[in-house]
Amino acid sequence: MAWYLLLAAGLFEVAWAIGLEYSDGLTKPVPTAGTVLALVASMVLLAKAVEQLPVGTAYAVWTGIGAVGTALLGIALFDEPATASRLAFIGVIVVGIVGLHSVST
């Protein structure tokens, strides 16, 4: 169950990171409210996950999910570059996430 909580926490991290772009420096009320809600949800779910998972593993996976998701949505939504090298390094992060999951007890 902790891994599902951690996955959800990571997805909420992506949501608040993307929300930062839409909130225009936290000046737009509705996107700002969504960003803050996603941030709180992400933190609460991460806190619940670390009750059962090692904090170092959970934090690394949480930030990895956030980094990969935000980078991919940046490409899809904001026309950020999708170079082969950038995608390869995003893939390395995914390998790290999968590796941490596979060696965790």
Side-chain angles (χ1 to χ4, degrees):
M1 186 64 175
W3 284 100
Y4 293 114
L5 293 172
L6 187 57
L7 174 62
L11 294 175
F12 275 110
E13 183 185 8
V14 173
W16 70 255
I18 294 299
L20 289 174
E21 182 72 22
Y22 286 110
S23 73
D24 196 25
L26 303 177
T27 61
K28 295 180 179 175
V30 173
T32 296
T35 300
V36 170
L37 288 173
L39 182 102
V40 170
S42 182
M43 287 291 157
V44 168
L45 290 167
L46 176 62
K48 295 305 266 179
V50 299
E51 289 176 354
Q52 298 174 37
L53 297 172
V55 68
T57 299
Y59 184 75
V61 170
W62 177 71
T63 57
I65 293 168
V68 168
T70 304
L72 292 176
L73 283 177
I75 292 166
L77 299 174
F78 308 125
D79 245 1
E80 294 178 3
T83 62
S85 57
R86 188 167 191 226
L87 294 173
F89 286 118
I90 291 170
V92 169
I93 297 170
V94 172
V95 169
I97 293 168
V98 171
L100 283 170
H101 181 265
S102 69
V103 299
S104 295
T105 55

